[in-house]
Each structure stands twice: as structure tokens, then as C-alpha cells.
Amino acid sequence: MRISLSFERPEGSGLCIMVDLLRASATITAALDQFREVIPVADIEEAVKYSRKGYPVAGERGGETLPGFIANSPIEVKNYSGDALVLTTSNGTRILESVKSHALVGCLNNLDAVAEAARELSDEVEVVMAGVNGRFAIEDFLCAGEIIAAIDGEMDEYAEASVLAVQDRSLVDDAIRRSRSAERLEGLGFRDDIEYCIRRNITGNVPVYRDGTVKLMEEIRRLH
């Protein structure tokens, strides 16, 4: 099993795992308890078009919930349900739209489940950190490290560095809580989301993005 780590966009065309810890990855993973699929869109205008058609739409920019939208929050999306949720975020949904084939969505909430799925699906996987508006985000690096450690394969140096960084889980949690992203979210009133996002293995959901939508891996298997 070969594992690589990249930033902002996939470098290859094979299986990748998108990591946007605070909060797109966790929101998508939680939403699939309530919705059959999540439709990620990069543009606010496209999300508004879906809203006009009657779709429930969640989204943010800079962490702030867009007017009239559901918050990009793993806690808030649990208050809604339906066939499809449309989601637009500052970083994670943009990364998914750059994927050439298909991608898993990884976070700490589904840590072991997404690692097991990656091992099952391919002998080569690329973990892609979303970052924040083109900047490195420590929370994505640390989350990627935990996922890569759980996959347990032959790592490139970037991936190995992320695994070395997550040897002490209490330090990892402290670093995530002190990250720029967390500080901004706390200032916007989303402290509970931060604590939710650092909970490990609370779900077996493995979101799979392909053909413009995200569905549970079990749902895709059922249809095929």
C-alpha cells in the first residue's frame, strides 16, 4: 500500500481522500445520516440555483453561514433530512470538484472506516489536505496524519511527516483547538462544532465522491 500526501488539489488521477477537518469533511459525513446524497458545489451562485429549485442548501464563506443557508455544521445538518443536500464551502467542496476520478471524504469522525475503505479500494491512495484559501492548515495536516497512520502503508516523506506529528493525541487535539480555523469558528459561535470534529470513530460512514455527488460507499455498492 503506497500513500502520498498533497495539498489543495490531487496530484494524481487515482483514489484520493479529501480532508477538510473544520468542517466540510465532518459535515458531509454527518449529513449522509440524514440525506441520500450530498451535492458539493464550489460557487454560491450555483448553490442559490439549487435553493430556488427547492433543495436544502448549506454553506459558508470564511466560516460564516451564508444568508438563508443551513450552516456548514455537522451538528446543524442533523436537524434536516431529505433526498439531497447541496453544500458549498470555502475549501472542501472546491477540492472535490478538482478530483479527476473519485474520492473518499475523511475526517476524525470516520477515521478507521475511511482508512479501511482506502485499503480495500486501492493499493495506492493520495490524501489531499484542503487547507484554507490556499494556505496550509494544521488541522488538516494532523487529521491526514491520523488517517495515514490508520491506513498503514509505504509513505512518501510528506505523509511520513504527518504521521510523526500525531504521536501524542492530546497534543494533536490542543493544536486543532488553537488553530486559526478553530479560533475563527469559536468567534463565530461554533465552538461545539470544533469539539464534534475532533471526536474519533463516532461513525462508520464512508462518503464517496464521484460524478458530482457524494454518497455512502454502501449505497454505491447496493446500486451496483
Side-chain angles (χ1 to χ4, degrees):
M1 184 78 183
R2 295 183 299 276
I3 314 167
S4 61
L5 179 61
S6 58
F7 173 60
E8 230 192 354
R9 61 179 54 83
E11 296 179 0
S13 58
L15 177 69
C16 64
I17 302 173
M18 190 281 289
V19 174
D20 183 358
L21 182 64
L22 298 176
R23 300 164 286 174
S25 289
T27 297
I28 291 169
T29 302
L32 288 173
D33 283 331
Q34 311 294 122
F35 296 88
R36 186 178 63 84
E37 65 181 359
V38 175
I39 303 172
V41 298
D43 297 329
I44 297 172
E45 293 77 12
E46 187 177 356
V48 170
K49 290 178 182 177
Y50 274 105
S51 179
R52 289 171 180 161
K53 294 177 182 177
Y55 285 80
V57 179
E60 54 75 28
R61 287 297 182 271
E64 295 189 61
T65 305
L66 293 167
F69 284 26
I70 302 164
N72 170 31
S73 160
I75 296 174
E76 185 165 333
V77 295
K78 291 176 179 291
N79 297 321
Y80 300 85
S81 61
D83 185 56
L85 173 72
V86 176
L87 177 67
T88 182
T89 71
S90 300
N91 304 289
T93 53
R94 173 175 51 85
I95 305 306
L96 287 175
E97 287 201 339
S98 72
V99 170
K100 296 180 178 66
S101 56
H102 61 285
L104 307 181
V105 176
C107 56
L108 295 178
N109 298 160
N110 69 350
L111 172 61
D112 288 344
V114 78
E116 181 179 351
R119 287 194 300 268
E120 176 186 333
L121 292 171
S122 179
D123 61 1
E124 188 166 346
V125 62
E126 179 181 5
V127 181
V128 183
M129 302 176 293
V132 178
N133 298 326
R135 301 195 315 270
F136 173 86
I138 192 170
E139 68 273 10
D140 293 345
F141 181 70
L142 296 173
C143 179
E146 294 213 22
I147 291 171
I148 291 166
I151 296 172
D152 189 22
E154 179 185 341
M155 297 170 275
D156 70 6
E157 290 186 351
Y158 202 6
E160 185 177 359
S162 72
V163 171
L164 292 172
V166 297
Q167 298 304 301
D168 186 323
R169 188 162 283 182
S170 65
L171 292 179
V172 170
D173 290 353
D174 287 345
I176 293 171
R177 291 186 179 107
R178 290 186 287 102
S179 67
R180 288 175 300 190
S181 298
E183 288 179 356
R184 179 162 180 77
L185 287 175
E186 185 164 0
L188 293 169
F190 290 109
R191 182 175 184 178
D192 288 347
D193 277 358
I194 300 164
E195 295 304 314
Y196 183 98
C197 289
I198 62 176
R199 295 171 64 193
R200 293 162 178 84
N201 295 317
I202 61 173
T203 178
N205 286 358
V206 179
V208 182
Y209 172 82
R210 70 176 188 179
D211 300 328
T213 67
V214 183
K215 296 178 181 177
L216 286 176
M217 193 160 77
E218 289 82 356
E219 174 73 6
I220 292 173
R221 284 173 172 160
R222 186 183 66 80
L223 294 173
H224 294 81

